[in-house]
Amino acid sequence: MNDPIVNSSGEKLDYSFAAGAGNARQAGWIVILGHGVTGDKDRPVIADTAEALHAAGFDTIRFSFAGNGQSEGDFRQATVTKEVGDLNAVLDVVCSHYRRVCYIGHSMGNAVGVLQAARDPRINCLVSLAGMVDTKSFAEAEFGSEIPDAGTMWDDEDCPLSSAFMRDMCETVHTVAPQAGSISVPWLLLHGTADEVVNPRDTDLIERTTGAAVEVRRIDGAGHSFDEATHKQALTEAVVSWLRRQAE
């Protein structure tokens, strides 16, 4: 697949597509992977998960939200609300080629996926990796000491903290728990017990409120990005095994 993907603002989104490997290929399925705040499609938690799925026979497309990585756009406008539109643009393209879609969202990418899946029947199943739910609590805990439009995210000069981002996180979205409660498709949630960026309670909240067929995996000692080799292996094996069952 080499179709251009352009969001409603006319910004071209950078993506990497890979066809599922060999005889294991899961015909009709594609997995879309979306990253978290300050990330891009090449972050290891995204790229490594995509590689494991590719080896298991799944076609994958991992993309950078507008303003991130090599995608067009302004990072200061990279809000959850705008990124929902980016995901919708990806779905518009891939659903002209595929019948079954799984969306995998890491961190803030999960909040994007929840908002989209709650209203979009084209998403047939969900996977959350350290998924963010309470966007207001996250923004206040991580960036509350910074001055919007003057400060940065985690002291990274390439990631300015905008008032648009903080307003969207704290007022427009606030939490995606209500939307999570309306999702009924199969849903896998993975969270590290040592995550210091997105509180594991966010995954507990989804488990309590959603009517979906939820499966929760807590990876002992794993941090937010599952960086250690054993944690990454546990994550990718869990995702591949679960998605194979959905494809049966």
Side-chain angles (χ1 to χ4, degrees), residues 177 179-185 187 189 204-214:
Q179 291 83 358
S182 70
I183 291 173
S184 58
V185 298
W187 196 348
L189 300 105
D204 298 338
L205 181 59
I206 292 178
E207 187 177 20
R208 291 196 306 269
T209 61
T210 187
V214 168

Side-chain angles (χ1 to χ4, degrees), residues 29-33 49-50 53 58-62 98 100-104 127 239 243:
W29 275 87
I30 190 165
V31 183
I32 303 171
L33 298 98
T49 303
L53 287 164
F58 289 93
D59 291 8
T60 63
I61 181 168
R62 50 189 170 90
Y98 294 88
R100 306 287 288 175
V101 174
C102 176
Y103 175 74
I104 297 179
V127 177
V239 171
L243 194 51

Side-chain angles (χ1 to χ4, degrees), residues 69-183:
Q70 298 302 308
S71 288
E72 296 177 353
D74 185 342
F75 178 82
R76 294 168 295 182
Q77 299 301 317
T79 65
V80 170
T81 299
K82 187 181 180 194
E83 291 182 357
V84 170
D86 294 344
L87 177 55
N88 190 68
V90 175
L91 285 161
D92 286 345
V93 171
V94 302
C95 288
S96 66
H97 299 278
Y98 294 88
R99 295 178 292 103
R100 306 287 288 175
V101 174
C102 176
Y103 175 74
I104 297 179
H106 176 239
S107 192
M108 195 172 88
N110 172 71
V112 173
V114 169
L115 293 177
Q116 185 71 23
R119 66 184 190 185
D120 193 337
R122 295 177 296 178
I123 296 177
N124 304 108
C125 58
L126 281 172
V127 177
S128 300
L129 310 179
M132 187 187 301
V133 176
D134 190 338
T135 59
K136 182 175 187 289
S137 292
F138 166 83
E140 290 180 341
E142 296 298 321
F143 310 127
S145 62
E146 297 286 337
I147 300 173
D149 299 324
T152 62
M153 295 181 178
W154 295 307
D155 298 319
D156 187 342
E157 294 297 327
D158 292 328
C159 300
L161 179 68
S162 69
S163 55
F165 175 86
M166 291 299 288
R167 186 165 54 249
D168 191 72
M169 295 287 274
C170 298
E171 299 173 19
T172 304
V173 178
H174 191 278
T175 177
V176 300
Q179 291 83 358
S182 70
I183 291 173

